Amino acid sequence: MHYKSLGNTGLKVSEVAFGGVEIGMPYGLNMSQASHKMQKDDAIKLLHYALDRGINFFDTARLYGESETIMGEAFAGMRQDVILTSKCKHFRLPDGSLPAASDLKKIMTDSLHESLRELRTDCIDVYMLHYGDLEILELEEVYELFSIFQQEGLIRYPGVSVYEPEETKKALDKDFWKVIQLPFNLMDQKQGEHFHQASAQGVGLVVRSVLMRGLLTDKSFQLHPALKDVQAHLHTYRKLYTDDSQTLASLAMKFAASIPEVSSVLVGFDKVEFVQEALSIFNGDYLNANDLKMAKSMSYPDQSFLNLAQWDKNGWL
């Protein structure tokens, strides 16, 4: 396993991070039909398997079902060996509005202490806003609270999870967040425009959605007719295969790992075989300059169309 600096935090993280969604709740391309969830004992064994083979960076969240609880049990007595990221609860109200400042502080504080309890730790290495949209990123109360959490030793570094490039830009311009987690993959590369600024500021970048919930794999998806252009575009990546054993999933992961500004690539695991495959892929041997240039030129033409949540709502998945 190779390790990289997480921005200027001083933390050295494995090039692949263990995404904890699947061990805590059902997850998949079609979220409304996702039903499988790992048994706790199997999840703990999987976490130990990953750690024993060099993965030291583990990502979870208050909203990932039992994920924090399982990680807390798995890493009891070995906390010093792992770097933990967790995220606070969403705090928008059902009507989309934000709570009053006092309620906001309570939600965030309670969420952090719940995470600390479930993870069985007194400090979380990277603690994140789960979704920092443009409005939330302007809330002074958020910055005040994260600063207090840091001063009290409850968190080491503040981070934020975003979706849109303008949110990444806003987060970077605030010059507060030490780690940003964002979506980036072969198809959807629009976040890449801000990678240079992040690197210049010493902000660690953790990329997620590298497989687009399994879309960037060799599974035989028959996508909805509304996604026929997406399906056709997926086939074009085969021209980047270096040999007959190459898969779309391995190409997608190697592409993300080839981006120099990226500290770690977040991959969700629920089987030992998937960890084994990732270990064989994240080996320091990534795309050469020519192949990387070609891959960067092969993002989906209409980047604004790539919205899995909206596709799900439309009944296309």
Side-chain angles (χ1 to χ4, degrees):
M1 179 55 63
H2 293 252
Y3 300 86
K4 296 178 73 173
S5 296
L6 185 61
N8 62 8
T9 63
L11 298 174
K12 291 286 189 180
V13 296
S14 49
E15 287 187 308
V16 57
F18 190 114
V21 180
E22 284 91 338
I23 66 168
M25 61 184 285
Y27 190 76
L29 183 60
N30 183 330
M31 289 298 291
S32 63
Q33 296 181 15
S35 58
H36 171 73
K37 183 175 79 68
M38 294 189 72
Q39 296 297 311
K40 184 179 74 170
D41 288 348
D42 292 335
I44 290 173
K45 289 177 183 177
L46 186 64
L47 289 164
H48 288 167
Y49 183 88
L51 179 61
D52 289 344
R53 283 151 185 82
I55 296 176
N56 73 342
F57 197 20
F58 295 83
D59 177 271
T60 184
R62 194 81 282 275
L63 297 179
Y64 290 172
E66 298 176 47
S67 179
E68 287 184 325
T69 306
I70 290 170
M71 284 194 187
E73 184 171 342
F75 299 136
M78 56 183 76
R79 177 66 180 88
Q80 70 281 358
D81 299 325
V82 299
I83 296 171
L84 292 176
T85 292
S86 195
K87 310 174 199 74
C88 67
K89 293 177 180 175
H90 293 163
F91 41 75
R92 282 196 178 276
L93 301 175
D95 63 1
S97 64
L98 290 169
S102 59
D103 294 332
L104 176 65
K105 291 179 179 179
K106 185 178 188 315
I107 292 169
M108 291 179 62
T109 302
D110 288 350
S111 183
L112 172 58
H113 284 281
E114 289 169 10
S115 292
L116 290 167
R117 182 186 69 238
E118 296 306 315
L119 288 167
R120 303 189 188 186
T121 186
D122 55 7
C123 179
I124 296 173
D125 298 299
V126 181
Y127 191 63
M128 293 187 170
L129 281 178
H130 203 150
Y131 176 28
D133 63 31
L134 292 176
E135 185 179 10
I136 289 172
L137 286 169
E138 291 290 356
L139 293 175
E140 286 304 317
E141 295 88 350
V142 168
Y143 296 91
E144 291 172 6
L145 265 183
F146 269 81
S147 296
I148 290 171
F149 294 159
Q150 202 170 14
Q151 291 163 11
E152 292 179 346
L154 301 177
I155 69 173
R156 294 180 70 184
Y157 301 103
V160 59
S161 174
V162 298
Y163 284 86
E164 301 299 331
E166 56 267 29
E167 295 159 356
T168 301
K169 175 63 173 171
K170 174 71 72 176
L172 288 168
D173 289 346
K174 287 293 183 180
D175 200 22
F176 175 84
W177 308 103
K178 301 305 181 185
V179 181
I180 298 179
Q181 188 185 112
L182 48 81
F184 182 78
N185 55 65
L186 278 167
M187 291 275 282
D188 184 357
Q189 300 182 37
K190 55 183 179 287
Q191 291 277 5
E193 64 183 293
H194 301 305
F195 285 6
H196 178 74
Q197 181 181 353
S199 179
Q201 291 180 207
V203 174
L205 293 180
V206 179
V207 298
R208 66 173 188 272
S209 301
V210 291
L211 300 180
M212 292 186 74
R213 288 196 210 160
L215 198 62
L216 284 167
T217 68
D218 292 314
K219 294 178 181 177
S220 298
F221 287 117
Q222 184 57 49
L223 296 179
H224 190 279
L227 302 175
K228 66 181 188 306
D229 291 341
V230 171
Q231 188 143 33
H233 192 82
L234 290 172
H235 292 298
T236 67
Y237 291 118
R238 292 178 180 175
K239 68 178 68 173
L240 288 169
Y241 288 7
T242 55
D243 56 58
D244 292 340
S245 65
Q246 183 99 58
T247 65
L248 184 53
S250 67
L251 174 65
M253 287 188 274
K254 281 187 177 291
F255 168 69
S258 299
I259 307 298
E261 298 90 347
V262 170
S263 297
S264 192
V265 179
L266 185 63
V267 181
F269 298 115
D270 60 2
K271 293 181 181 178
V272 168
E273 306 91 90
F274 295 162
V275 176
Q276 292 171 335
E277 181 183 9
L279 292 170
S280 70
I281 292 168
F282 291 92
N283 59 6
D285 182 19
Y286 302 127
L287 303 189
N288 62 42
N290 288 335
D291 287 345
L292 181 59
K293 183 178 180 180
M294 181 178 291
K296 285 183 174 181
S297 73
M298 293 175 67
S299 60
Y300 189 70
D302 184 2
Q303 294 279 280
S304 63
F305 183 69
L306 299 175
N307 187 328
L308 291 176
Q310 188 60 51
W311 296 355
D312 213 350
K313 290 179 182 177
N314 293 349
W316 296 349
L317 296 177

